[in-house]
Amino acid sequence: MTAPLRATRQGAAIEAALAGSDDFRTAQDLHAQLRATGGSVGLTTVYRHLQRLADAGAVDSVRTITGETAYRLCGARAHHHHVVCRGCRRVVDIDGPDLERWLERAATKAGFTDIEHTVEIVGTCRDCGRVNR
Amino acid sequence: MTAPLRATRQGAAIEAALAGSDDFRTAQDLHAQLRATGGSVGLTTVYRHLQRLADAGAVDSVRTITGETAYRLCGARAHHHHVVCRGCRRVVDIDGPDLERWLERAATKAGFTDIEHTVEIVGTCRDCGRVNR
DNA sequence: ATGGGTGCAAATAATTTGCAGGTAA
DNA sequence: TTACCTGCAAATTATTTGCACCCAT
């Protein structure tokens, strides 16, 4: 089938860094961390590994409000979504197997298969709700 | 308090273009449309107006998967969602008061108010169901 | 040995900012 | 008139790609 990936120090370092965190990490972020911990890896390589992992379905990716792409190992946590505060950008996790199931069923009923979804929820958190607007 | 905004042809054109669509529009998108319809406006100006509208809370913004920022007038929310076919780009609407309710409750429970959400579902429609990924 | 992996530097693409000149109030 | 508004061009930021070299297999 597909040629097995070659085992390299860089690839291992990147996957280890990803595995070491439950949350989404950006490429720049991971790169900086790897640099700091001595396991120097080129930024390009970080991007390439993340991309390949995403293609392979091993990681999920999301776009942050600041325009960066963040990645997280699929198994790192049950699939869930986030609510982002429009004031302070704080992120709170929301678990929702119900949501997944609902989306799956609705799309299937419309005749679609191989469903993929992105849910973005924006709100105002308690702390930010006190001021403005 | 705040100085009232100056009424300009460009600003009016941008807001009109936004008002003319229920869906999220990118700056580039709006700019191209304005160009095409004769009401020439600089790309910079489009960005500036969208930013100001977002700051004022008049529009909501989201990041698309391709990295662009899309904007939509707050009041324009036609509350339904779409499933987009990754093959032919066909769009099918799906109705979901359940979904809205679920999201609302989940976010509220997390301490958020003034919830706004975007759900993007991508799948493969019956006609295109064959090669992919 | 050899082809995939690496990384520097240059290329892209979306968005922001400097600045000179236009225009609503 | 007086700021604010515009828009061209240059600057920024995140990400991708060209290419010569290196290393796991």
Side-chain angles (χ1 to χ4, degrees), chain A residues 3-61:
Chain A
L5 296 185
R6 201 175 280 186
T8 63
R9 174 180 65 78
Q10 291 89 337
I14 292 167
E15 287 176 43
L18 268 176
S21 162
D22 287 7
D23 272 314
F24 283 89
R25 308 291 304 279
T26 67
Q28 309 269 355
D29 183 20
L30 287 170
H31 178 240
Q33 178 189 317
L34 290 171
R35 278 238 155 139
T37 41
S40 177
V41 176
L43 178 57
T44 307
T45 300
V46 174
Y47 274 111
R48 279 196 279 236
H49 272 273
L50 289 175
Q51 216 162 52
R52 182 162 52 189
L53 288 168
D55 286 346
V59 301
D60 281 318
S61 61

Side-chain angles (χ1 to χ4, degrees), chain B residues 6 8 10 42 44-45 48-49 52:
Chain B
R6 197 176 283 185
T8 63
Q10 291 90 336
T44 305
T45 301
R48 279 197 277 236
H49 271 273
R52 182 165 54 190

Side-chain angles (χ1 to χ4, degrees), chain A residues 86-128:
Chain A
R86 60 167 65 84
C88 61
R89 285 203 207 145
R90 170 186 321 194
V91 176
V92 174
D93 294 340
I94 287 190
D95 287 317
D98 292 350
L99 178 61
E100 325 291 305
R101 235 176 287 125
W102 190 91
L103 289 172
E104 185 79 21
R105 201 181 322 137
T108 301
K109 193 153 46 182
F112 283 72
T113 55
D114 199 13
I115 312 297
E116 218 177 279
H117 66 272
T118 309
V119 177
E120 226 181 279
I121 312 174
V122 180
T124 303
C125 77
R126 257 186 289 265
D127 294 346
C128 295

Side-chain angles (χ1 to χ4, degrees), chain A residues 60-83:
Chain A
D60 281 318
S61 61
V62 299
R63 280 273 175 182
T64 69
I65 286 189
T66 56
E68 298 158 283
T69 304
Y71 302 83
R72 185 195 59 187
L73 282 179
C74 276
R77 211 172 204 181
H79 191 124
H80 66 281
H81 298 288
H82 302 117
V83 197

